[in-house]
Structure formats: structure tokens, C-alpha cells
Amino acid sequence: MWIRFPNCDRFGAGELSVPLPPPFSPLRSAPKASSKPSRQKQIPRSLALSFRASFTNELIAGKITGVKHRIFLCMIAMAFPAGADYHSVRGRLPAVVSDGIIEGEWLPFGKDARSQDMKVFGGGWSGDAHLLWHGEPGHAMETQFSVKRGGRYSLSLKMTKAIDYGVFTIRVNGRELRKGVDLFGHKVEPTELIKLGEMELAAGEQQLRCELTGKNPGAKAFQRNRYLLGIDYLKVMELDPPPEPEKVLPPAVDTPDAPHTATFEFLQPLLAEHCYRCHGEKGKIKGKVDLLRLKSKDDFLAQPELLRQLNDVLEFREMPPEDETQPDENEYSKLASMFSGYLGEHLQKEQSLPPIVMRRMNRYEYNNAVRDLLQLKGDIYPLPEKTIRAYRAYYDPASGSLPDSIHLGNRALGKNQIEQPLLTGVVPFAIDLQSEHGFNNRGDELGFSPILMESFLNLSRSVVESPEFDRYSARTGTLFRAGGDRAKWSATARERLAPFLERAFRKPIESATLERYARLFDREAERGDFSAAMKTTVAAILASPRFLYLLERKQDEEKPLAPYELAGRLSFFLWSSIPDEQLLAAARDGTLADQEIYSMQVARMLLDRRSKSLSENFARQWLRLDRLITAVPDFERFEPYYARIGCEQWKLGLQTMVEPLLLFESIMVEDRSIMLLVDSNYSYRTSDMSSWYAPGVPFKGKANPNRFNTMGVVYQRVPVNNRREGGVITCAATLTMNSSPLRTTPITRGAWVAGVIFNKPPPPPPDNIPEIEVDDAKIEASGQTLRQRLIAHQVNQSCVACHQKIDPLGFALENFDAVGRWRDKYPSGLPIDSSGQLFGREKFDDAVGLKDAILANPKWFMRAFSEHLLSYALGRELELADKPAVDDILREVLDARGQFSVVVGAIAKSYPFLHRSNALESE
Amino acid sequence: MAKSRNLSRRSVLRGAGATLTLPFLEIMSGRGQAAKLAAKPPIRTAFFYIPNGVVQRSWHPHDEGKGYTLSPTLKPLAPVREKCTLFTNLDRIKVAGTDGHAQAGACWLSSAAPDELSPAGYPLKTTIDQIIAAEAGKHTAFRSLELSCNPYEDNRESVYFDNISWYGHGHVARSLRDPQRVFDRLFSVKEHAAHRSVLDVVLNDAKSLDRELGRGDQEKLDEYLESVRTVERQIERVTKRQAEFDKLELAPPTKPWQAMARDEFIQVMGDLMILALRTDLTRVASIMSSPERWGTPLMVHGLFDKPIQHHGMTHGQGNENVRQDLERLDRFHVEQFSRLVAKMDAVEDGDGTTLLDNSMFLLGSGLSDAALHICTDLPVVIAGGAGGAITPDRHLKSPAGTPIANLWRSMAKVMGVKRNRIGDSTGMVSLS
């Protein structure tokens, strides 16, 4: 299977690198040969996608193959056995293209044809599959493909040969392009690329016809007088494409080529057939959606929220309900493109950005901002937010690789440990809680109160006055030490305060502001102590709203942010902190408005160690990992969960919490694909955790009370050889935190997957929740599995409708018990049913199947991840008006197959990130 | 029943524990001029929140009026029943389609009408404690005191689950959950004075910002400005009482809250609240005995030998065993309340009355039957006589469908706040 990737062909498959500077890509390099699949070395100025082949035999044997840049995608079919980089090449997209590759298995086909999985034949087929057809001489296989533009095209076919394949004549639009194509071969293997030639094509649908004309004398019939045809892919290349047109406002859908030409009148019969019965007819209006009332396109355009719903419902096949007759694929896509076209039209006309309420720094950001402003050696107070406490700094994106072996302090993993203060007398304020489906950086939820004011007053003073401060800060000499004789103090202070204030407030400093703080200094300096007076002044600056809030000036129309404001947004997005001098300088001289310089800043900042905040602040919250801290698997039933026999305080669980975060950090540092978060072939584990994932009894032979060292532990990068492991969905941490003490909770797990992986959090549960036993042993004693019990409790249609969407996502993980260990059966011996269907479309049998289904539709996860990150970057909830921006981001992310820096870059240059809403309209 | 943990509590709140025996006048000698002149001690209002409702069958007594029979769950009130009043048939607004539990806590004390929804979709506006505090806070160093015995170190739920007190739409009065910080806030006077010069400067800086901001941002800035002004007032008023506090020889609680058992945590927080009320540092307080929902397993020492999930249990109460466990937990909460009530009744408050006599200390929850997220017939007990405004030891059953806002109006009136309407109120609940 191929991700559609038009660029590839232009460079020619097989080339190793392309000197192409993608706008948002930190410098990365190709992997070097090494015994570890994970190692990469930086090669300056060559921009390449890091990727890694998975567990092919070659890799395990230590052979490594690699290519640079995105071109990899195009060559994988040739350079690798198919399936090598499995999660990178699993992406499936509809085969509607104008220029590029069209997978055979995605061509429309009729009778006597099917798609066939070719992995068993040793790989070599693009996407591991081809289109297989059989017929008698004289028969023909017919199919269609589309091109977007009229023009001259070069066409070629990659086919399959084997002993029972026939000889064919190939026609396009009736014109014979090639005859006598003999697919006979002694082995089942792909053919070379067969050139069909060049021809003019009009925009729109084209006919491809393969006529079976005969057979090679050596060929054997597949069935009596029947021979086979196999199409791996069709390659369509536009010759002399017209220059790229000026970028117009993109359509609001993520299938940019999907036509939405069908008129409402044309498609209304489909609505009548499938929708009206529940949504309008005979007064029946389910879910408050009355479609019968909407009689024209304009009626729909007047209801943008409904259009969004309709888009979602069609995208995720939520309607009609499973037990009703379903529209066919063709009808589905026609309806979907019509409504997404409507939505796009509405958004182009009405688009207006939701306001961003000025937001206060949260506890994590405040620490970072004070640390960076005063150039401190480290944090100002212990932050439980930082799940990982490193013994030695290990996070360095500029190195291009996360170390194989990372030594972490385990004490810090347990928030129960009383932490030593870093600066004597500095007491943090309470953590700000996360929004229901978002992050703890939202202006509307970050309030201010007298208690906080007291905290900020105490904090700013106690930081600068703590006995350790002078040694801890690099500004002691340049800011706080008395300069010259007393008469010059006031002038010196002004000289020092002007740049300091600019940095602290992230704004050009007006003289009134400077004077306000300088006069405070003058008053305090009367006591004769320069340093003390400066400390009081700095304490005041740290308590000012100009420091504590992310401020953006009001404006009367929607327009780009001022450079300083953009610098602030960017640094809080990537570093959870204030801009550094470089970024501030670019704001000061206005060059930040230059797209190229802006891109370079983004790339530079991602290479800075401060980008670790994306793991500490974003990833932790996105995954809702804090839940693990208080997970309490039953002490007796899950005794191995506890690290110290007889002691509930020490949990293995707190070790597993680090695993998904280190995976995330490796993706950042090595600039890998975010799809590895779904399915990765490596992970970071301690030796004790490895025993957790291994079959059999963990801690075997460790009957001593202290099963592992609770002071420091080493996380090793290990290959993950079983696809049921790897990624964040099936790691022990998330599985455990979404379970209850005595059993798994598939609905909680399902809701977590829906919210975190697909950004489709289920609505709040209804009031009449039926009860289920808290102990699965009791359920199983009745002869029922948990799944059967849960289904039996869906008492009415309204339960079923919702649970159909959530539950399969949780049941898929039923093979993992309440602490994330694999089990083939329930303890009682009852079989586990982990099969289901993803969004009514992708059937799967188990957790691996669920991952495959996600990988096969990468845009679902890529969209969700981008939305989460965009919402984090903006500090607000996303709204309908953000959809076009998200579509833009998604397009880039899909193109880059989820490369992390591209995701971040696309968000940083997205419309809502660069613009400020109209303050007046927002009221 | 929980084991008594007096010993460890005393060691935690050493100084504070000792002050509980100090006679009223000694403590109050430095009370503000206004209070000295007033013949009667001030009335205090406090709220004690229990999350996730109560088991209905064991909550409701079968009889009404004076001398009613305490129901099984209310049994722990027996020692103080003469000073308690049970209210039933009081209902809260519920907005469908938003989270039942977030609403239960955050909107419990709200004064929003059914058609006034906050940005988050909840009927959430200035809560009754803050309406009262706006008036009562004129006389005290602290306008109000918000405490939460939230024992969870994960951040599973949002701000709506951990707070019952709101200054207004989207403006939370964040609760404190660290007893040491509560103590420092109330009594560490010398810290405060140093902030004066800083406060002046940042207040001016904030004011100069005003013209740069859009309207939504101005509201946020107002939160900041109001906080600065409040802290200025606090500093001024607390400083005046410096000498008085020095005499009390109070020592802060030293045991970390993370290490406290449930009952210990609640009692320590309760002690701090009582200390603040009796020293007249504030007249309005609230305590969440536990946050709303928060489906995290929790050890309740002395009650269950394994961690329990309160919220999960409420949805499992069709099972008789689960329901009985839940009833024990409900009784545990009433017991904690009852112990605090008894402590308040042991504090002399002048004129031969006790602190309790001059208080309204209300126990309640934002749900009645949590299994179905029901918001009618909420559990409500008020301990205390409100300076004579309440005639206690009765079960007052309102007509079906009476808004709980009617009770809020009655309480506000006792506190000297006159409002014709609070939320969906239709009148007042008779207290005497």
C-alpha cells in the first residue's frame, strides 16, 4: 500500500537523498549502520526523515538499511521487503489522485476481482497487496481512475507475475497502449515497472481495461481455462504540470480532491432513504436533528454546527445505526463530500477566530519563566509535573538521538516522596487542574484569586531572597551587584532594568513602565543596599500582571499578531517559558514576521533542550498520565505490581509511567513520526519492566522484600518484538491507569482511546448508569465475561448508540489485565473476545488489529494529535472556525507521514496561531 | 466507625490544639472595634461538602418536626442533635447534557438561574458563601476561607470538581488543601508587611494595562486587581492583630497532608476553620470533605481495609453489600461533621453562648441519589443556632419542589444580606 506521494516520482525511486529544505524540519540525518536500529547521527544540512525499519530479520541480525528524506516512501517497495517500516507504509488513502501512485487494491473493481494480501509471497508489493482478477481469454478487467487536471500524462503499471497468469492487452480510454504483456513467471513476484506510454487525458474519470488475450506456453491455468491478472499499482505522472497556482483558501475537507459537485437535490433521495425516518418524519426527531426541515443548500448553510455534526457522522460512519440499511461506499462519499463542501463554504464566508482569553502562567510555566529570566541553574521549586527526574541530562535534540540508556531517579517518580526544597523558603502554588478534555493552560479556567496573589508575592520575594539565590543565578553580577558609587545607582539601575523588563514582559518597554519600577528601586535604595533594592524591584516585576499573563493587545480587526506577541506565543508553546534573547531580537527588529526566519526560529527552538516541556507539560497531560499515580491495583490479586512485598507505597506502576514519555521524547529528539505513538518497535524499559511484559511470572526469583532498587533506575532502549506492545495504547501505564483495582474497565479504556487517540471524547455518561460488579472474578463466576455483562446492561437504544462507539476501543484491550499484563484467557478460563470495529468501518480481531486499523487510516490519529497540540499551543478550546486550519495542518502532517517537526511547524504557522481575533466581535 | 486519632491530630496541630481551650475573651480581646461595640458576637456561616450524594433509604427519617428520630446515617449527630436542623425536599437546578458531577459540586451553592449558564455550560454564578462574604468580609481580615480535603495527587478531574466556591462566572475561589499553607496564610503576619511596597507598584502597573486590553481580557485583569486590593486589606487587618496572635503561641501543623488518614485530614482542616472563625479572621468558610466524583481509589483507614472508589460505589448500590458499604461511608462523613460541630460547641463565644450557637454550619451534597445523579431532595443539615435565628433540633420538610436557593436566601438574610432573589429562589425557608 502506498501513501499517495506525488513528489516521489519526480525524484525517481531509489535515490537516497533529496537536497530539499522542508520549511519546518530541524536538521536530521539518515541512520548509520549500527547494531542498534535506533542510532542516528546528525549530518548537518541534510534534511531527512528519521525512520526505522521494524523487526525484520535483517534488523535483528544487525543489518540496517536506510534512506533519507521522504523519498523513502517511494522506494520502500523496492529497497525493503514490504512491511519493513510497517507503520509508515500502512497509511491508506483513497485512490483519487491526479499525479502519483494509485494502489491496485484501491482501484474500483467488479466481478472476479479482489484485493489480495501478498505478504505471504515474500513481500515486494507496494503496500503488501495487489488487485487480483481472473478470467478466460476474451474477458477483460475494467476499472477507473481519476485525474484532477487535463494534460499530458505518462502511465505505467506495476503488475504481478506467476505461473498461472495470462497475457494481456492494456487500454486506457479505449486506446491500446501496450499489447502482449506476459505475466507468466516461475515464481510469484512483482514485475518491473511496465511503461504504457504517454497520452493526453481530460480531467476526470479514465477507463483502464486489461484484456486477457492468451497465455504463455509455459503457463498453467488457474482454473479451467482461466488465467490471472495482478496489478500492484498504477503510476500516473503529469508531464509539464502547470505552475502551482496562487494558494487560494483551502477547502475545508481533508480529501482535497474529492469533488463535491453533487447538488442537494440530487442527493436528497439518499437522505430520504437513510435519514428522514428518524430525523424528521412523523415528528420523530432523534438527537434533536431534524433533517426533513432542511430543504435546500441554504438551509444547511444556515446551520454550521449541524454541518459539522454531519461531517463527523459521515467521516466516522456513525449513522445510520448499524442495524439499519447502510448507504454504499459511493453514496457515503458523495454525501460526505457534499456536506464538507457546504461546511467549507460556510467557513470561508463566516470564519472568525474565537478569542484567546489572556492567560496566567500555570505553575510549570511560572517556574520556567523565572528560571530563564533570572538565568537560574535549575528549577525554583520541586515540580511533580516533571514525571521524569533525570540523574544526568539526557534530553538533547541537537544530538539527534535519545540515549540508549537513561538513568533516572525513581524517588522522584513517586509524588508521595517528600521532596527537598531547591531554594530555601520557596513554596509553589497549587497545581492548576486540567480542563475536562484539554490542558491546564486555558485562560478561561486559569483564574486569579487573593490566595494566588499571596502566593506570587511570597514566591517572587522568596526566590530572590533565598540564601542559595546568589550562587544559583547567573544574573547576580550583572543585575544585582552594586555598580559604581552611590550617586550612579539610579542610572545603573535604569540601564539594567530596561532590557530586563523587555525580557520579563516580552514587550517593548515604555518609559512610564520603566520609571514605575525604577522609582521603586530608588525608594528601596535609600536604605543603602543596592542588591536588596534590586531584589525587591525584581520581586515586584515577577508579581506584575505584565509578567504573569500572556498579554496581547486588543485590536479592532482580525490580524496577524505583533512580533513580540508572536514570540511570546511561540515560546510558551515550545518551551512553556518566555522567549530567549535570540527570539526577542527577531521580534525587536521585526524579522520574525519573515516566514523563513520564523521557520528557522521554530526549528532552532525545537532543537533547544527547553523543548522538553512538550513532553513534561503537553504529553503528560495529553495522555492524562497523572492518573497512574493514584492507581491502586488490588494489593493481593496484583501483588507483583508492588515493588516491595508487603508495602503498598512502592509501586512498579511508577516505573511504567516513564515509558510512554521516553517514547514521546525519542520521537521529538529523533524527529520521528507521531504514528509511533500508536505502534512502535522499540521502547524504553527498566529490567524489571521487561519482566513485566514477558510471559510468566514477573519478579521470578525475586522473593526478597525489595524487588528493585527504589533509588535510581536505568531505562534501556529495547526492541519491541511483539506488536501487541509498543506505542501508548498498549503500554502498561495507560492500561493500568484506566483500570479499577479488581478488574479492567473497558469503557474507561475506550473513552480514553476515543478522547486521547481520536480526540472524540464521548459525551458525559447519562444519569441512569447500570451497575456492574467491581470484581471480574465475581462476574466470571456467573459464567459471563465482562464483555457479555456490559453488553447485557445496555438496556436501551440510547445506551447502545453511544457504547457502540466507545466500547470496541476498550474491548480491543481486554487481553491486557488490570495492570497491563498480557493474558490469553480470563483467569476463569473464559475466552477473551477482543474483536470489534473501528468507526463502523475497520474490523479488527484484537489489539494489534486495532493498531492496524489506526495505521491504515492515519489521518484520524494525525488529526486528533494535531488538534490536541494546536489547542495546547493556543491555550483555548478549538472551535468550528479552526477546522480549515486543522485541515491545512493535517495535509502537511499526512504528507510528512507524521514527522514530529512538521506537526509542530504546521501548527506554528497555522492561521489561528499567527493571528489575533477581533476583540470587539468576540464579545 | 473510624478509630479516633486524637493523638496524632494533636501532634499535628500542636499549638492549635492547645488554643481550643483558651477562654473566649482572651482570644477575642483584640477583635475589631466594631465587634467590641456590638453587643452580640458575629454570626458565622460555614459549609461542609460531601461528594456523590448519600444513600437515600438511610438518610431520611420517617418522621418530621421536633424530636424526630435520627435515621441510621444521621445517628452520629446524636451528641449534638439539639443544635442541628435537618432540611428535606430542597432541590437544585440541573442542566442536562453537561456533567452531572461537575455540576453537583461547582453549582451546589450557585446563585445562577436556570437560564444563566456559565461558559462551561453549567448554571454557575457567584456562590452563596461569596454573596455572604461580600458583606461579612467587610469586618474581617479574610473575606472567606475555602478548604478542600482533596487527598488525590493525580489531576484526574477539572477545576469544577475540586471547588464549591466561586466569585462569579468562571472565576473560582480556589480551595487550599495543604493545612500548613492554610495556617501560614492565616497567621504568618510578618511576611505580609514586606509586600506593601510591591503591591502599590503592581497595582499601578495593572491599572495602566487596562486601555490595552479587550473586554474579555479586562475581566481577567479585574480578577487580578480585585485580588491585589483584597490582599492589601488583608495585610492591613492582619497586621493590626499581630500582637494578639503572638500571644496564642500557635504552631503550624507539621504532618504533611499526604500522610494523613482521611478522618485526620478532615479534622485538621476543620480545626483550622474553627480557629479562623473563633478568632474572627473570617466569618465565611467552606470545606470539601472530598472532591466530587474523582474516580480514584482511596484508602479510608479504619473503615475499609482496601481502597474504595466512592463514585463507583454509588453506581453499584443496587448490590446490597455495596450499598451497605456506602452507608458506612455516609455515616463516616456525618461523623466527621458531627465531631467538628461538637468542637464548635466547646468554644465559648461570649454572652454564655458557644461558637456553634452563633454559626450556621451546613452539611450537604449537590446530589441526593448519586446513582441516578438526582438533584432533588438534597441532603441538608444545619448545625448551630445562627445567633437565635434558627430553632434547632427539628426536621423541616419543605413542600415538594422547593428550590434550595430559598434556603440560601434565608441564610443570606441572617447574615445581613438582603436579596429579593437568589438563583431560582421562590421565597424563603423558615428557620425559626
Side-chain angles (χ1 to χ4, degrees), chain B residues 52-319:
Chain B
N52 305 319
V54 291
V55 176
Q56 290 299 292
R57 67 170 182 193
S58 308
W59 179 263
H60 293 282
H62 53 75
D63 47 3
E64 289 174 49
K66 196 160 172 65
Y68 70 99
T69 321
L70 288 175
S71 65
T73 302
L74 292 172
K75 279 266 158 59
L77 284 180
V80 289
R81 67 164 292 159
E82 288 79 18
K83 300 211 168 174
C84 292
T85 312
L86 172 69
F87 295 85
T88 53
N89 261 350
L90 297 176
D91 305 347
R92 188 173 67 74
I93 302 167
K94 180 177 169 184
V95 173
T98 57
D99 196 280
H101 284 279
Q103 276 187 66
C107 310
W108 178 48
L109 301 177
S110 173
S111 64
D115 54 349
E116 281 180 304
L117 301 186
S118 70
Y122 305 122
L124 177 52
K125 228 171 94 176
T126 312
T127 47
I128 183 63
D129 59 325
Q130 292 304 330
I131 291 177
I132 291 170
E135 180 62 33
K138 287 178 184 165
H139 311 290
T140 57
F142 296 92
R143 189 188 138 112
S144 60
L145 186 65
E146 291 75 36
L147 308 172
S148 172
C149 310
N150 181 344
Y152 301 112
E153 292 177 79
D154 53 23
N155 302 301
R156 185 180 283 262
E157 305 280 18
S158 72
V159 69
Y160 296 99
F161 294 79
D162 196 23
N163 292 280
I164 51 173
S165 184
W166 298 75
Y167 298 120
H169 271 287
H171 188 189
V172 63
R174 269 295 289 269
S175 53
L176 281 173
R177 58 163 101 163
D178 180 349
Q180 294 176 36
R181 288 207 53 209
V182 177
F183 182 89
D184 287 346
R185 178 165 195 246
L186 294 173
F187 299 106
S188 295
V189 183
K190 52 185 177 299
E191 293 292 318
H192 294 211
H195 297 321
R196 278 221 174 102
S197 53
V198 167
L199 277 171
D200 279 348
V201 176
V202 296
L203 188 64
N204 285 328
D205 205 12
K207 284 179 186 160
S208 74
L209 258 181
D210 201 40
R211 63 195 152 82
E212 298 178 24
L213 300 178
R215 228 189 305 163
D217 291 348
Q218 272 169 6
E219 281 170 24
K220 283 280 149 189
L221 187 67
D222 285 344
E223 291 180 5
Y224 180 91
L225 289 169
E226 188 51 42
S227 302
V228 173
R229 293 192 187 105
T230 305
V231 171
E232 279 189 322
R233 266 198 308 273
Q234 270 170 217
I235 291 173
E236 191 185 313
R237 289 176 186 174
V238 172
T239 313
K240 275 188 195 155
R241 302 190 57 189
Q242 168 91 63
E244 199 187 335
F245 295 148
D246 288 348
K247 261 186 260 166
L248 292 180
E249 290 178 9
L250 297 169
T254 48
K255 190 169 176 182
W257 58 270
Q258 295 92 334
M260 292 181 186
R262 286 307 295 148
D263 55 340
E264 186 180 9
F265 194 3
I266 296 170
Q267 291 303 314
V268 166
M269 282 299 217
D271 289 348
L272 285 165
M273 178 193 81
I274 293 170
L275 203 52
L277 293 175
R278 69 182 304 198
T279 50
D280 206 28
L281 278 171
T282 187
R283 291 175 190 176
V284 180
S286 62
I287 293 188
M288 290 186 92
S289 65
S290 213
E292 189 58 47
R293 195 169 65 189
W294 226 288
T296 300
L298 175 67
M299 196 64 206
V300 186
H301 294 91
L303 206 60
F304 303 103
D305 46 11
K306 283 184 181 174
I308 53 147
Q309 286 166 299
H310 186 182
H311 168 246
M313 285 162 71
T314 63
H315 291 293
Q317 55 181 298
N319 177 318

Side-chain angles (χ1 to χ4, degrees), chain A residues 194-214:
Chain A
I194 301 165
K195 287 206 168 13
L196 301 178
E198 298 175 4
M199 71 182 288
E200 289 287 334
L201 297 177
E205 199 173 270
Q206 324 290 330
Q207 297 294 324
L208 172 69
R209 182 180 163 90
C210 304
E211 296 164 3
L212 178 60
T213 53

Side-chain angles (χ1 to χ4, degrees), chain A residues 437-747:
Chain A
H437 301 298
F439 304 89
N440 68 349
N441 67 354
R442 270 173 44 183
D444 55 339
E445 295 198 359
L446 287 166
F448 216 93
S449 63
I451 289 179
L452 261 178
M453 191 67 225
E454 293 165 34
S455 277
F456 285 126
L457 290 169
N458 285 325
L459 264 170
S460 54
R461 182 166 287 274
S462 60
V463 167
V464 289
E465 289 181 354
S466 76
E468 298 88 354
F469 179 79
D470 290 349
R471 274 172 288 120
Y472 205 60
S473 167
R475 297 303 314 265
T476 302
T478 52
L479 184 64
F480 296 105
R481 189 166 297 150
D485 53 61
R486 182 85 191 254
K488 289 189 185 143
W489 278 11
S490 186
T492 307
R494 278 169 174 74
E495 251 165 55
R496 293 180 183 181
L497 279 174
F500 184 79
L501 282 165
E502 186 206 25
R503 180 108 193 264
F505 294 167
R506 297 91 67 190
K507 288 282 149 65
I509 299 303
E510 292 167 15
S511 60
T513 307
L514 175 60
E515 277 309 303
R516 187 170 294 125
Y517 290 93
R519 278 201 300 271
L520 173 64
F521 171 85
D522 291 343
R523 281 197 301 278
E524 295 287 320
E526 282 164 22
R527 293 182 209 170
D529 185 339
F530 183 99
S531 181
M534 189 53 91
K535 285 186 173 179
T536 301
T537 310
V538 168
I541 292 169
L542 296 185
S544 161
R546 294 178 195 268
F547 175 72
L548 293 173
Y549 286 92
L550 274 78
L551 292 168
E552 288 161 6
R553 258 172 181 278
K554 71 174 165 192
Q555 52 197 29
D556 300 338
E557 55 180 337
E558 194 169 293
K559 61 180 174 195
L561 286 171
Y564 275 96
E565 294 169 345
L566 182 57
R569 265 199 200 175
L570 192 60
S571 66
F572 276 90
F573 170 31
L574 299 180
W575 292 346
S576 298
S577 183
I578 54 173
D580 64 353
E581 178 48 36
Q582 273 199 58
L583 183 59
L584 217 50
R588 197 181 300 126
D589 63 22
T591 51
L592 196 60
D594 180 294
Q595 216 180 344
E596 206 169 312
I597 289 179
Y598 180 67
S599 301
M600 280 169 54
Q601 287 289 347
V602 173
R604 175 185 74 85
M605 291 172 74
L606 269 183
L607 281 175
D608 189 286
R609 287 174 196 249
R610 277 169 282 194
S611 62
K612 193 164 192 273
S613 68
L614 287 172
S615 157
E616 289 172 346
N617 202 13
F618 167 74
R620 178 184 54 83
Q621 295 192 57
W622 165 56
L623 295 171
R624 308 235 147 211
L625 262 188
D626 284 359
R627 288 185 189 178
L628 187 68
I629 297 165
T630 42
V632 196
D634 187 75
F635 192 51
E636 273 122 51
R637 191 169 305 174
F638 299 105
E639 189 253 355
Y641 186 83
Y642 295 88
R644 189 174 286 178
I645 294 173
C647 179
E648 283 173 78
Q649 281 294 315
W650 295 92
K651 297 172 187 166
L652 178 80
L654 297 180
Q655 283 199 10
T656 67
M657 191 167 173
V658 173
E659 186 182 13
L661 290 176
L662 287 179
L663 174 64
F664 191 89
E665 290 179 5
S666 74
I667 291 168
M668 285 202 291
V669 169
E670 294 160 18
D671 200 14
R672 294 171 180 278
S673 170
I674 56 168
M675 294 311 286
L676 301 199
L677 294 164
V678 174
D679 188 17
S680 69
N681 61 9
Y682 66 92
S683 189
Y684 278 88
R685 291 176 187 163
T686 63
S687 56
D688 293 306
M689 278 172 66
S690 292
S691 79
W692 194 253
Y693 283 104
V697 186
F699 300 121
K700 202 168 180 201
K702 283 201 179 180
N704 57 320
N706 294 318
R707 284 157 152 162
F708 57 76
N709 170 17
T710 46
M711 294 302 288
V713 263
V714 176
Y715 285 77
Q716 295 278 3
R717 188 162 181 148
V718 292
V720 169
N721 296 320
N722 192 328
R723 288 200 51 223
R724 70 194 188 204
E725 302 168 22
V728 299
I729 304 170
T730 55
C731 69
T734 55
L735 290 162
T736 305
M737 74 187 194
N738 289 319
S739 298
S740 60
L742 283 164
R743 64 166 169 84
T744 64
T745 46
I747 298 175

